[in-house]
Structure formats: C-alpha cells, structure tokens
Amino acid sequence: MVEAHPPRIPLPFALDRNPHAPDAECRLLDWARRYRLLDRPGTEKRLFGARLGDLAAYTHPDAAPDLLCVYAQFIAWQFLAHDRYAEAEEHTGHPGEHLIDQIESVYRTGRAEPAAGAMAHALADILGRVYPAMSVEWREHFVVECVETLHRVALPTPGASPAAAHELSWGVDAYIRHRRLAGGQFPCLLLDEFIAGGELPAAIRHGAAYDDTRNAEADVVSWTSDYYASRDSAGTDSPADLVGVLAYTEHVGREHAEVAVAVRIQDRVADFMTARRALQGGVGDAASAHLEAEPLLRRCVSAMHNRMAGTEAWAWENVRSVGRRPGTGRGRTTGGGLHVPEYVADLLDARGRPRGWDGGAAEHRWP
C-alpha cells in the first residue's frame, strides 16, 4: 500500500518562522478580496489553503510586518496568476480583463490603466510600494525576470501530456528549464533585496557564482514543491510535476521517480552550497566596493536558505496536500525515511547548521 506522503526531505538549513505570520495571512486575504482576486469559483478556498503567509514567514523570519506583507502578497499574486494564465481558456484572454499585455505594462510602468483588470491593479498596488525604493537598473532587471516568468506560465508545460512529450521530444531537462523560469523564484530573489533594504552590485548579481547559486536554489524550491505535490496528481494522464515527468520519460514507476527526485534535490542542495562558497570567495577577492555589499549579500543568501527550508516545511504542512488526509503528522519525522547524505553534510560548516550566513553570532562570518 502506498503511503499518503513520500518521505520527508531533510535539508541542512535551519527553519524559522516570522511571528507576524498570522497577521500577514489575514492582511493577504483582505488585500485579495479588496482587489477582487477571489471572485472566481474556488479561488478563495485555494488561496486560503495555500497558506502563503506562512511561506513568506518562513522565507523572511525577521522582516517587519509591512515588508512581510509585501512579500506574501507578491507570491500570492504569482500563485493567482498561475491559476489564471496557466489555464488554456485564459491564454487568449478576455477583452479588458486578465490580459497578459496589461500585466507586462504594469511591470514596466508600475501603474495600471483604469480599465485594466483586477490582476493588473493588484500588481500595481504591490509595485507602488516597491519601485520607489529601488533604482532604475534594479527595476529593469526585475521587469525582465517577471515578464519571462509570466510568459513561461502561459506556455504549455514541457512534458505535461504524453502526447506533447512524444511529439515534441520533451525530456526531463526541458521540463527543468521551464520549471525554473515558470516557478517565479528569480523575481522573488530580487524582491529579497528590497526586503533586505538594498541592492546587490550588478557585478555580483550578474556574476557566474551568483547565477549558479540562484539556479540551484530555484531548482530545490520548485522540485521540493513538485515532490510533495506528486501524489495528488498520481493517476492523471498529464504529468504535472517533476516526479510525473521523470516517471513518464524514463519509464519508471512513480515511487522510483520520487526517490530519484529526492536524490536530485539533495544534489542541488550540494550544488547550492558549493556555489555559495564560490560566491563568498569572489566577493572576498573583489574590490572594496563589493566588500561593502557583503552584509546585504549575506542577508539575501540567508533568504535563499530560508526559502528552501521553508518550502520543504510549507509543502509538507500545506493543507492542499496533507490537511485533508487523516492520520498525517505535521512535525518532522524521527527515524527512517531520508537523511542528509554525507556528501551534503560534508559541505556544512564545521560548527553545524548555520541559520543563514550569520550563524546566529556576530563573530560568525560566512561558512
């Protein structure tokens, strides 16, 4: 008999939660109602069940209440945009409502035209609090990442049906590339800079070490979500997650594919930690102007740690996946299941599992 859940995936990052999470969740739902984002059947139930205030609280455990709300609202907007634009009937759009070109315009200007739809006005509200604090260069980069995500969401998912996988020769790598961009992590990483109160120098943000770090983080986040959601889609004709795509393309059972995805996640955690050390060394060797950005970079990478650990906890706890199933626990498993592999543990700092790069101690520099 197949259990209701795959085994927990232990990640070598500390987990913390912002104490303002309940307030963020309430404010998020009020905001969504105010902008008429919950008018479609079932949308309010799905948004409530997603518990995105908790995901935001895991990602930014130290953020002030207003900043936590901005982050929660943005990931909720992404969630609702995927709900709307990933559906086939929304790809063509409806006159005056939910058109992708409206959303692009809001990203570029930070404003929504009066006749624009609810999604456009809600996004403009978020950006109206973010854009004034950020530079033109940051905004341009944010627009590029957000528009790319938007278009990826509106595309058919590679491998999303056996016919598409066969006719278009979609493979696991194609799905991974698509998922990395459609998952919306890259705009969130830029928003982390806003939450942290600064902007990374372009030489760091566009450097190879940072790129490797953010790609690994995005993969861990999206694959972890796929891993825990996979059994909800088991038995469907369209593999909608990495487990299903892997099972179809490599002709293996779903349980075998789950194990393979768990191994891939741990591999990417190891890649992240290796890239993080290269990033540390690159900044340490850089000019003094980059050394001044060290505290900001530390906070931004701490948010990456938190998002990975938080996604694992959130996906496990999420009522969409586990809340409706009797007999399922919410705590971490004790004994059995998966463990942090030695090759990942070897990359940990000798002092244990740091919370972010600060290690909870003023004298602790980057691990």
Side-chain angles (χ1 to χ4, degrees):
M1 179 178 176
V2 177
E3 296 293 332
H5 311 288
R8 291 293 295 269
I9 301 177
L11 299 182
F13 308 116
L15 181 67
D16 200 358
R17 184 173 179 267
N18 195 302
H20 302 293
D23 181 58
E25 189 71 29
C26 290
R27 292 174 63 179
L28 168 60
L29 291 170
D30 288 344
W31 170 83
R33 294 187 189 104
R34 185 168 71 253
Y35 280 96
R36 298 179 290 109
L37 302 181
L38 307 179
D39 292 348
R40 290 157 54 108
T43 301
E44 181 162 359
K45 181 179 179 180
R46 286 194 298 275
L47 182 60
F48 179 80
R51 296 173 45 250
L52 298 175
D54 279 342
L55 180 57
Y58 282 134
T59 307
H60 290 288
D62 300 319
D66 287 346
L67 292 176
L68 183 66
C69 280
V70 170
Y71 190 84
Q73 288 166 2
F74 184 69
I75 59 177
W77 189 93
Q78 290 183 317
F79 174 86
L80 294 170
H82 190 277
D83 234 21
R84 292 166 186 252
Y85 298 116
E87 297 176 3
E89 62 268 24
E90 293 290 348
H91 293 170
T92 56
H94 302 287
E97 183 69 10
H98 307 316
L99 296 174
I100 287 181
D101 58 353
Q102 288 183 0
I103 303 303
E104 285 193 36
S105 175
V106 175
Y107 274 130
R108 297 185 191 283
T109 66
R111 298 183 301 275
E113 297 296 328
M119 290 292 289
H121 283 281
L123 179 62
D125 175 68
I126 296 170
L127 300 184
R129 287 169 279 162
V130 175
Y131 278 5
M134 309 307 283
S135 70
V136 171
E137 188 275 336
W138 183 95
R139 288 176 54 173
E140 290 174 350
H141 191 51
F142 185 75
V143 168
V144 169
E145 298 290 5
C146 289
V147 170
E148 175 68 16
T149 296
L150 184 65
H151 282 281
R152 285 282 175 166
V153 165
L155 286 173
T157 301
S161 71
H166 175 71
E167 294 169 7
L168 302 178
S169 300
W170 292 115
V172 175
D173 290 343
Y175 173 83
I176 287 171
R177 288 192 298 271
H178 172 85
R179 186 74 168 89
R180 183 183 295 166
L181 294 168
Q185 268 302 103
F186 295 159
C188 287
L189 293 177
L190 284 164
L191 196 60
D192 290 341
E193 297 180 32
F194 166 76
I195 301 295
E199 296 182 21
L200 292 174
I204 293 176
R205 191 194 297 132
H206 301 302
Y210 188 82
D211 195 52
D212 288 344
T213 306
R214 73 168 196 153
N215 285 344
E217 186 264 5
D219 288 345
V220 170
V221 167
S222 59
W223 299 357
T224 299
S225 295
D226 280 5
Y227 175 82
Y228 284 116
S230 66
R231 294 192 182 178
D232 283 343
S233 60
T236 62
D237 292 332
S238 300
D241 50 64
L242 182 57
V243 174
V245 171
L246 196 66
Y248 174 78
T249 57
E250 299 195 0
H251 309 289
V252 298
R254 290 189 69 91
E255 288 187 74
H256 181 92
E258 284 176 0
V259 173
V261 170
V263 171
R264 284 172 178 257
I265 290 170
Q266 293 287 7
D267 285 345
R268 289 305 272 158
V269 170
D271 292 341
F272 171 85
M273 296 171 75
T274 300
R276 184 193 67 181
R277 290 190 173 185
L279 182 62
Q280 167 197 345
V283 174
D285 296 338
S288 58
H290 292 172
L291 289 175
E292 293 174 1
E294 181 180 310
L296 174 63
L297 181 59
R298 200 162 54 235
R299 290 193 294 273
C300 289
V301 177
S302 289
M304 295 185 192
H305 293 179
N306 296 335
R307 182 64 185 261
M308 288 185 285
T311 297
E312 193 281 327
W314 167 81
W316 173 260
E317 298 165 352
N318 200 311
V319 293
R320 290 177 302 163
S321 298
V322 304
R324 64 178 179 271
R325 295 171 179 158
T328 57
R330 292 176 58 132
R332 287 192 175 271
T333 55
T334 56
L338 302 172
H339 300 276
V340 177
E342 288 186 9
Y343 68 93
V344 175
D346 287 345
L347 293 169
L348 290 171
D349 186 88
R351 287 158 287 197
R353 300 180 182 180
R355 179 182 168 225
W357 281 8
D358 289 315
E363 70 275 6
H364 180 74
R365 292 174 63 82
W366 301 354

